[in-house]
């Protein structure tokens, strides 16, 4: 990725841009947070470490997550144990210092004409005792406690009232997120509110220039950026908060979309290899070897790939397909087109098990075709490895399947034309980029995922890629029947398992494995294995066990026993979520199903239903379930559609847990939520698309402020956007 200063080409308005950038660089917002009054070096170091607040701009972007409403007056006799924050007006009728040393406290009694309320202080006692004047009227705000049915407020906010009538302007108090370490150093939400107030007193509207074109502001009825930042921190009224939030959410989506669409436009200018021949390999496979009729969705994806590889541009395409939808066949046919045009192709999988599965299925498909295929993983060593590398460099090896081993420097292709990356979110961008550099001209890229992604998340995560979807299952596949059973019906479930095994079928029993309680979970798995072994004893039944703590060869041995049908039941953790293909397995039992996310439940269910027989997924739980767990279970029972499940998963959990996005850092929006703010996302993408279509390099005077802002942000964030796929 080029440095930020080279992101945009030289153009006639360069002088104007330079001036704008200089103004930005010298802006008050770029000042180190250490120089804000009330901060200093020590607090600055804490704010940097705990909140990633380095500059004045960073502090302004530390938005409140809620507000305390001080615009309402309550009566003391209306306070009840469920009351959150309350505000009352009354006279101090008594005050007394009680106790000694650590038990010392100041207790004042407030009377509002309806009831009495204790106000309590454990710190600052001497100061507060002087501040409180008997028979004077105060405005009191705080969170009430109840003891023996009597309310009190510890350390309330107090305001001595004058004869002037009370005004409730500017009484929506922002609440900011702080860490425990900050609290321990007395840096609280109130501290941040004071610091932000100090900063806003210094900042002028000219310090926060508008980067959105005026026509977008008008069309989308957006408030100006300066007013949005002011009102998010110091709302003029409750009605000013929502417009401020909408504007700032729009900005977050809009900037991301501008960057993604610019990358997409730039990718389309990259020269790509032309695959203009559909030759013997493809035709022989399609007409003679293909064991089933392609679905319409598979045919559509192949047409899209064909169009891309004929366009003289490099293909960058994401292929989404539900479990069992036939992505591998589409990938193979794309690779056969590459070989027909004299190019090599490779497919990279995240685990050795998945790579082996791909290799075995592709090898079966390629029988009698003049296509050489090999598997390269960390386990391939010595002469076998040297032979693969030599054949690859000589061009006699056409297709290579592997893991991270493919990106090693020693792996050199003669003419790599197509790269397929499976379950791509498990690879770092730097790893993927190494594959793309295996040829002087970048090869075509097909990224595959078996985790369906909601459309809005796909637009956000993969806006720089063209997106294909396989949303049909192959003909003859029966929908998996999913049922929820409580633990007290376990014997009934075991009876059903015996019936399926008697038909010659096999069964998975999956236990959760959560990192925080790994030892406990491993014990549960072993206990489960022992109880299953007692329930299904030798010699009539054979049970195998697989978990992540086993050595690779032991795990592989047990898995292969199950694949060969030597064991009828596999007791396992989620290591079987990806990479085990046993068409004869017809039952998936998931223990403690409430401990799994929806996406993971759906992936596990996809391990069965791979043959022609009816398959079943049974979700086992106790009776005590959270509301979210019940929703997950209900969704699983109601549908097999991975895209519907992904939408529901995003609603329940948010996008951060999907597709590794939290780890990627790409969706760390300050305010925006993909699930809650879809309408704003769609608007932002629409506006960004119009701008990039008309002015892809942001060269016109209308977009100079936007261009300057983008460059400055890229520099400030240390090239974050080079990490996008």
């Amino acid at each position: 990725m080029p440095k930020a200063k080279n992101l945009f080409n030289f153009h006639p308005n360069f002088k104007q841009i330079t001036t704008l950038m200089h103004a930005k660089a010298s802006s008050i917002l770029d000042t180190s947070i250490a120089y804000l009054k009330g901060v200093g070096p020590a607090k600055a170091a804490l704010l940097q470490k705990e909140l990633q607040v380095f500059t004045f701009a960073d502090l302004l972007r530390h938005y409140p997550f809620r507000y305390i409403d001080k615009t309402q007056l309550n009566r003391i006799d209306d306070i009840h144990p469920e009351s959150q924050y309350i505000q009352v007006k009354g006279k101090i009728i008594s005050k007394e210092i009680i106790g000694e040393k650590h038990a010392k406290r100041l207790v004042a009694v407030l009377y509002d004409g309806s009831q009495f309320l204790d106000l309590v202080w454990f710190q600052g006692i001497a100061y507060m005792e002087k501040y409180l004047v008997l028979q004077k009227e105060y405005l009191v705000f705080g969170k009430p406690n109840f003891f023996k049915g009597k309310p009190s407020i510890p350390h309330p906010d107090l305001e001595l009232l004058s004869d002037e009538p009370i005004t409730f302007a500017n009484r929506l108090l922002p609440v900011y997120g702080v860490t425990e370490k900050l609290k321990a150093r007395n840096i609280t939400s109130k501290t941040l509110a004071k610091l932000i107030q100090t900063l806003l007193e210094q900042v002028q509207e000219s310090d926060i220039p508008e980067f959105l074109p005026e026509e977008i502001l008008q069309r989308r009825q957006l408030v100006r950026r300066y007013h949005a930042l002011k009102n998010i921190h110091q709302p003029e009224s409750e009605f000013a908060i929502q417009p401020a939030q909408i504007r700032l959410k729009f900005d977050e989506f809009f900037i991301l979309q501008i960057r993604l669409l610019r990358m997409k436009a730039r990718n389309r200018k990259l020269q790509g290899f032309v695959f203009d021949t559909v030759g013997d390999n493809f035709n022989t496979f399609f007409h003679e070897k293909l064991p089933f009729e392609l679905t319409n969705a598979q045919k559509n994806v192949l047409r899209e790939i064909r169009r891309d590889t004929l366009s003289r541009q490099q293909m960058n395409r994401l292929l989404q397909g539900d479990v069992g939808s036939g992505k591998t066949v589409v990938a193979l046919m794309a690779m056969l087109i590459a070989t027909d045009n004299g190019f090599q192709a490779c497919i990279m999988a995240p685990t050795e098990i998945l790579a082996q599965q791909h290799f075995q299925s592709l090898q079966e498909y390629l029988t009698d075709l003049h296509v050489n295929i090999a598997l390269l993983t960390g386990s391939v060593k010595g002469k076998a490895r040297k032979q693969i590398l030599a054949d690859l460099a000589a061009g006699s090896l056409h297709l290579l399947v592997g893991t991270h081993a493919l990106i090693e420097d020693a792996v050199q292709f003669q003419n790599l034309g197509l790269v397929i990356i499976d379950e791509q979110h498990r690879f770092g961008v730097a790893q993927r980029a190494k594959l793309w550099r295996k040829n002087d001209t970048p090869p075509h890229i097909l990224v595959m995922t078996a985790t369906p992604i909601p459309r809005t998340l796909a637009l956000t995560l993969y806006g720089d890629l063209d997106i294909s979807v396989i949303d049909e299952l192959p003909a003859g596949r029966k929908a998996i029947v999913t049922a929820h059973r409580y633990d007290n019906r376990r014997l009934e479930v075991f009876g059903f398992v015996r019936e399926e095994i008697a038909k010659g079928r096999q069964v998975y029993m999956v236990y959760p494995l959560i990192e925080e309680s790994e030892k406990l979970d491993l014990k549960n798995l072993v206990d489960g294995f022992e109880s299953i072994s007692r329930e299904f004893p030798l010699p009539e039944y054979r049970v195998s066990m697989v978990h992540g703590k086993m050595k690779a060869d032991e795990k592989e041995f047990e898995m292969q026993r199950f694949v060969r049908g030597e064991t009828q039941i596999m007791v396992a953790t989620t290591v079987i979520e990806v990479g085990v293909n046993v068409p004869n397995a017809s039952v998936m039992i998931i223990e403690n199903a409430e401990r799994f996310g929806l996406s993971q439940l759906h992936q596990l269910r996809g391990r069965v239903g791979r043959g022609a027989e009816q398959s079943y997924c049974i979700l086992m739980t106790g009776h005590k379930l959270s509301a979210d767990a019940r929703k997950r279970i209900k969704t699983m029972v109601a549908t097999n559609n991975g895209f519907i499940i992904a939408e529901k998963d995003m609603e329940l959990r948010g996008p951060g847990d999907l597709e590794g996005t939290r780890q990627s850092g790409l969706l760390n929006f300050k305010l925006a939520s993909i699930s809650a703010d879809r309408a704003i996302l769609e608007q932002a993408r629409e506006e960004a698309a119009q701008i990039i279509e008309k002015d892809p390099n942001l060269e016109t005077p209308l977009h100079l402020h936007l261009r300057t802002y983008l460059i400055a942000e890229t520099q400030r964030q240390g090239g974050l956007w080079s990490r996008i796929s």
Side-chain angles (χ1 to χ4, degrees):
M1 179 77 182
K3 293 181 180 177
K5 66 181 181 181
N6 294 325
L7 279 174
F8 301 96
N9 302 326
F10 181 82
H11 59 86
N13 295 314
F14 181 76
K15 187 174 181 181
Q16 192 174 351
I17 288 177
T18 308
T19 304
L20 285 168
M21 284 190 65
H22 179 72
K24 174 70 181 175
S26 60
S27 165
I28 186 175
L29 297 184
D30 289 326
T31 307
S32 167
I33 195 65
Y35 294 106
L36 182 65
K37 184 180 177 182
V39 179
K43 274 186 184 174
L46 272 172
L47 292 171
Q48 289 168 6
K49 184 178 179 183
E50 296 298 308
L51 300 179
Q52 286 72 56
V53 170
F54 294 89
T55 64
F56 288 5
D58 294 331
L59 184 60
L60 274 185
R61 288 179 187 169
H62 188 68
Y63 304 127
F65 64 89
R66 66 181 173 90
Y67 299 86
I68 295 173
D69 186 356
K70 291 182 72 173
T71 63
Q72 304 295 320
L73 268 179
N74 306 95
R75 287 161 51 94
I76 294 173
D77 60 4
D78 289 335
I79 302 172
H80 52 82
E82 282 74 41
S83 296
Q84 291 299 308
Y85 288 90
I86 58 98
Q87 183 168 246
V88 294
K89 181 181 73 168
K91 289 183 179 179
I92 300 292
I93 61 170
S94 70
K95 58 180 180 177
E96 182 182 7
I97 296 175
I98 302 172
E100 296 181 357
K101 295 183 179 179
H102 297 301
K104 191 175 181 180
R105 63 194 183 278
L106 169 65
V107 179
V109 178
L110 184 87
Y111 180 66
D112 72 344
S114 73
Q115 192 55 269
F116 300 95
L117 177 67
D118 285 352
L119 311 177
V120 186
W121 288 266
F122 300 95
Q123 296 173 339
I125 292 173
Y127 171 79
M128 289 307 305
E129 203 274 336
K130 289 180 182 177
Y131 180 73
L132 294 170
V133 181
L134 295 178
Q135 299 306 316
K136 286 286 186 181
E137 199 168 42
Y138 289 82
L139 197 62
V140 176
F141 179 85
K143 191 170 186 177
N145 286 341
F146 271 79
F147 181 69
K148 293 184 178 179
K150 185 179 178 183
S152 65
I153 300 182
H155 288 270
D157 289 342
L158 275 185
E159 183 180 337
L160 178 61
L161 296 177
S162 62
D163 294 332
E164 298 290 326
I166 301 172
T167 67
F168 289 99
N170 298 321
R171 287 185 175 274
L172 284 165
L173 303 186
V175 181
Y176 297 93
V178 289
T179 65
E180 291 302 319
K181 283 187 180 178
L182 288 175
K183 289 178 186 175
R185 299 289 290 271
N186 290 319
I187 301 176
T188 63
S189 172
K190 284 185 179 179
T191 310
L192 291 179
K194 287 178 182 176
L195 292 176
I196 290 170
Q197 182 179 351
T198 301
L199 174 55
L200 286 171
E201 288 168 358
Q202 298 178 41
V203 172
Q204 306 298 317
E205 188 163 1
S206 58
D207 296 318
I208 305 176
E210 185 57 68
F211 62 77
L212 284 181
E214 197 67 34
E215 59 181 17
I216 294 180
L217 295 177
Q218 297 295 327
R219 185 161 51 242
R220 301 299 180 182
Q221 297 182 312
L222 298 171
V223 299
R224 303 192 78 78
R225 190 162 159 252
Y226 171 75
H227 296 297
L229 286 167
K230 282 278 285 185
N231 279 301
I232 199 82
H233 294 294
Q234 296 179 345
E236 297 165 1
S237 71
E238 61 180 306
F239 304 108
I241 295 172
Q242 189 181 37
Q245 290 177 333
I246 288 173
R247 168 60 206 267
L248 296 171
K249 289 175 179 180
F250 184 94
D251 286 356
E252 290 183 344
F253 286 137
F254 177 78
I255 293 301
L256 175 59
Q257 292 303 320
I258 282 284
R259 283 169 163 147
L260 289 172
L261 291 169
R262 277 207 80 251
M263 291 176 71
K264 190 171 185 176
R266 187 181 60 198
N267 287 344
R268 283 189 169 153
K269 291 180 180 178
L270 289 177
Q271 185 179 350
F273 297 118
V274 177
F275 296 171
D276 56 6
T277 300
V278 177
D280 291 343
N281 290 327
F282 183 94
N283 284 319
T284 302
F285 176 77
F286 183 72
H287 295 294
E288 299 175 21
K289 311 288 291 182
L290 190 61
F292 47 78
E293 173 86 18
L294 292 178
T295 63
N296 288 329
Q298 287 173 309
K299 291 175 184 175
N300 286 337
V301 172
L302 279 169
R303 287 190 201 101
E304 289 166 345
I305 291 170
R306 184 89 180 99
R307 188 172 63 241
D308 287 351
T309 56
L310 276 170
S311 68
R312 299 186 182 278
Q313 297 168 353
Q314 185 208 18
M315 176 174 74
N316 280 283
R317 185 166 290 279
L318 168 71
L319 174 55
Q320 285 193 74
D322 213 340
V323 176
S325 61
K327 295 183 301 300
T328 305
V329 169
V330 170
L332 171 60
M333 294 174 81
M335 290 191 287
L336 290 176
I337 293 174
T339 62
D340 280 338
N341 285 272
F343 292 93
Q344 294 166 297
C346 69
I347 180 167
M348 184 165 74
T351 65
E352 192 156 326
I353 293 171
L354 191 53
Q356 287 173 343
Q357 179 185 316
H358 279 315
F359 176 68
Q360 288 163 4
S361 60
L362 293 177
Q363 205 173 27
E364 288 174 19
Y365 283 138
L366 293 171
T367 306
D368 300 330
L369 286 179
H370 301 297
V371 177
N372 294 327
I373 183 171
L375 174 68
L376 184 64
T377 67
S379 302
V380 179
K381 302 192 184 291
K383 287 183 179 179
R385 189 180 194 86
K386 285 181 181 177
Q387 188 63 55
I388 288 172
L389 296 181
D391 292 345
L392 199 63
S396 56
L397 182 57
H398 307 117
L399 304 183
L400 184 61
V401 181
T403 56
H404 299 76
L406 299 191
I407 65 176
E408 293 173 6
D409 291 338
V411 180
Q412 295 295 324
F413 294 81
Q414 186 192 67
N415 195 15
L416 180 62
L418 174 64
V419 170
I420 296 173
I421 300 171
D422 197 20
E423 297 300 333
Q424 73 90 33
H425 60 281
R426 302 195 182 193
F427 296 103
V429 174
Q431 292 172 316
R432 301 198 298 266
K434 284 187 177 180
L435 266 183
W436 305 345
R437 297 188 192 112
K438 297 281 185 181
N439 206 338
D440 293 335
T441 298
H444 294 297
I445 309 296
L446 182 65
V447 168
M448 300 198 304
T449 177
T451 306
I453 309 166
R455 181 175 178 270
T456 45
L457 182 57
L459 284 177
T460 308
L461 262 184
Y462 301 109
D464 58 324
L465 302 179
D466 295 307
I467 298 175
S468 293
V469 176
I470 300 179
D471 52 6
E472 293 178 76
L473 289 180
R477 285 279 178 94
K478 294 179 181 176
I480 300 166
V481 175
T482 304
H484 174 211
R485 296 289 181 265
Y486 292 109
D487 287 335
N488 60 0
R489 297 182 65 180
R490 186 172 296 278
L491 292 180
E492 178 187 322
V493 171
F494 285 166
F496 175 71
V497 167
R498 288 190 186 91
E499 290 174 11
E500 286 296 297
I501 292 175
K503 295 176 186 175
R505 313 276 183 263
Q506 290 168 279
V507 180
Y508 295 106
M509 292 190 178
V510 176
Y511 286 75
L513 189 62
I514 311 298
E515 197 172 337
E516 286 81 0
S517 56
E518 209 166 273
K519 290 180 181 176
L520 172 65
D521 285 325
L522 192 57
K523 181 179 183 299
N524 289 344
L525 178 73
V526 173
D527 289 347
F529 173 74
E530 290 174 353
S531 69
I532 294 299
S533 297
R534 287 193 299 271
E535 195 69 36
F536 297 88
L538 290 166
E540 188 177 357
Y541 303 100
R542 291 178 299 282
V543 185
S544 52
M545 178 171 67
V546 174
H547 58 80
K549 290 290 183 183
M550 295 170 71
K551 292 179 180 177
D553 54 349
E554 293 174 350
K555 195 189 311 179
E556 182 61 23
F557 174 74
E558 289 295 335
M559 283 188 168
Q560 288 305 321
R561 286 179 69 205
F562 189 69
V563 169
R564 291 192 298 267
E566 294 170 10
T567 58
Q568 297 105 328
I569 300 173
M570 178 184 279
V571 178
T573 59
T574 54
V575 293
I576 60 105
E577 180 184 345
V578 173
V580 180
N581 184 21
V582 183
N584 192 50
S586 65
V587 181
M588 166 64 71
I589 297 173
I590 304 175
E591 296 285 351
N592 300 116
E594 73 278 6
R595 288 175 63 180
F596 294 88
L598 257 179
S599 180
Q600 197 172 32
L601 287 172
H602 182 61
Q603 287 290 318
L604 287 168
R605 175 167 62 184
R607 294 301 99 202
V608 296
R610 291 172 167 260
E613 305 303 327
Q614 180 64 63
S615 290
Y616 306 87
C617 177
I618 302 171
L619 309 174
M620 301 294 300
T621 72
H623 279 84
K624 288 184 179 179
L625 294 174
S626 68
D628 273 1
R630 288 188 188 279
K631 287 177 186 174
R632 290 197 298 273
I633 301 292
K634 187 177 179 181
T635 302
M636 284 292 294
V637 172
T639 182
N640 281 292
N641 187 310
F643 290 92
I644 294 174
I645 286 168
E647 290 279 356
K648 193 69 179 175
D649 200 19
M650 193 166 76
E651 284 176 25
L652 292 174
R653 297 196 298 162
D657 296 314
L658 298 174
E659 283 291 293
T661 54
R662 192 178 302 283
Q663 287 71 35
S664 76
L666 294 177
L667 297 186
N668 292 339
F669 296 131
K670 300 285 188 181
L671 277 180
S673 161
I674 294 174
S675 51
D677 301 314
R678 296 186 196 190
I680 302 174
L681 169 58
E682 296 282 358
Q683 290 178 8
R685 183 172 175 84
E686 189 179 313
E687 295 292 353
Q690 287 184 27
I691 287 176
I692 296 304
E693 185 180 352
K694 295 173 185 173
D695 185 15
N697 289 320
L698 306 178
E699 294 175 335
T700 65
L702 185 65
H703 301 135
L704 287 185
H705 284 285
L706 173 58
R707 180 191 185 98
T708 304
Y709 180 81
L710 281 168
I711 294 172
E713 284 297 289
T714 303
Q715 291 173 330
R716 189 182 69 81
Q717 295 177 18
L720 168 69
W721 305 102
S722 66
R723 299 208 300 267
I724 297 178
S725 62

